[in-house]
Amino acid sequence: MTNTREQQVIEQLSEYKAKQARLQALGTYKVGGGITICRLSEEDELQQLHRRLRGRPSYMYLSRKEQELETVAHTYLERYPAGTKAQLSEVPRVGLYEEDDSLLQQLRDKISKVIDSRSGCKSDLDDVLERLAELQDLQAEIERVDQVMKLLEDYNPDYVELLKQAFVEKMSWQEITTITRVSKAEFYRRREKAMRMYLKLAK
């Protein structure tokens, strides 16, 4: 019976092609002015905004108003995610104090202006950020699988080929055993070993 961790391997590899297709579709989504979500992701404007909120000596380059925004960000944000859906929820719409509400909205507006300046027209901020965050999430997930598979290939190339055939290409055990010329029992033994090593490298 497949355990939870092995099921994670199956899901990661079985969904690999679908995630690639979704990533490609998201990348072509236009936010306006001929600018795509993919290009927004490649631009470092949004990432620079996050980096500027990570404790650098901001007084050297931020205006007084920007320092106020930085202060409210430090007050309400426990972490500064980049490329995750948490990016949307980390900037609350309402603060603990009424006077903070305006600053929090200005912080959201600041991100909105960055997107508007790239797109050349007004786009819905939450919709664009949601798609951008999904794209960056998918990129991170795909890159992680690629990294683990590369490590596994260095260890045993046959394991990588077997996992690709079984889960990425979704070949049946009959098809795989015909190609590899091993018994069904041997196929499942090798698959089990490959999955265990994948899990070990993915820790």
Side-chain angles (χ1 to χ4, degrees):
M1 184 174 181
T2 304
N3 62 39
T4 302
R5 295 202 67 210
E6 290 175 342
Q7 187 61 38
Q8 289 176 356
V9 177
I10 295 172
E11 289 177 358
Q12 284 181 13
L13 297 179
S14 298
E15 295 172 0
Y16 185 84
K17 281 191 172 182
K19 288 180 178 179
Q20 283 186 319
R22 176 59 178 164
L23 184 65
Q24 185 175 6
L26 280 171
T28 60
Y29 175 79
K30 289 182 172 57
V31 298
I35 305 299
T36 63
I37 284 287
C38 184
R39 180 172 170 185
L40 272 182
S41 179
E42 292 170 355
E43 298 282 355
D44 62 358
E45 290 286 345
L46 291 176
Q47 302 308 319
Q48 285 182 11
L49 176 60
H50 287 292
R51 286 196 292 270
R52 291 172 72 176
L53 300 177
R54 288 179 178 167
R56 295 186 177 185
S58 57
Y59 64 86
M60 297 181 65
Y61 54 82
L62 294 183
S63 67
R64 187 167 184 173
K65 173 56 69 175
E66 287 175 326
Q67 288 182 55
E68 290 179 1
L69 293 179
E70 182 187 47
T71 298
V72 78
H74 282 312
T75 301
Y76 287 95
L77 306 187
E78 295 181 359
R79 58 193 182 94
Y80 306 95
T84 67
K85 292 182 180 179
Q87 188 177 53
L88 300 176
S89 62
E90 287 300 308
V91 181
R93 294 179 181 275
V94 180
L96 296 174
Y97 305 99
E98 187 175 347
E99 57 267 27
D100 290 344
D101 294 350
S102 175
L103 290 172
L104 288 168
Q105 184 57 50
Q106 288 177 50
L107 186 59
R108 293 178 63 85
D109 289 345
K110 189 174 183 65
I111 301 174
S112 179
K113 287 178 181 178
V114 170
I115 293 176
D116 291 341
S117 69
R118 293 296 177 182
S119 66
C121 68
K122 185 67 177 177
S123 299
D124 181 76
L125 173 61
D126 288 335
D127 182 58
V128 172
L129 282 182
E130 184 176 0
R131 291 174 186 271
L132 178 60
E134 183 184 357
L135 180 139
Q136 293 174 332
D137 281 343
L138 288 171
Q139 285 177 328
E141 291 168 11
I142 290 172
E143 286 173 7
R144 181 56 182 157
V145 171
D146 288 342
Q147 289 170 358
V148 176
M149 293 293 270
K150 177 62 171 64
L151 291 172
L152 185 59
E153 185 174 30
D154 292 340
Y155 175 79
N156 189 324
D158 291 339
Y159 284 176
V160 172
E161 187 62 25
L162 188 151
L163 291 178
K164 284 182 178 179
Q165 291 172 337
F167 302 124
V168 179
E169 302 299 333
K170 297 180 174 61
M171 296 170 62
S172 67
W173 68 264
Q174 293 97 330
E175 291 174 310
I176 297 174
T177 54
T178 298
I179 294 172
T180 58
R181 296 183 179 179
V182 299
S183 67
K184 178 181 178 181
E186 179 62 20
F187 159 71
Y188 279 106
R189 277 195 294 271
R190 292 183 183 182
R191 194 186 75 163
E192 178 68 20
K193 289 180 180 179
M195 292 175 71
R196 283 204 303 266
M197 183 53 64
Y198 181 100
L199 287 167
K200 185 176 181 180
L201 294 172
K203 287 183 179 178

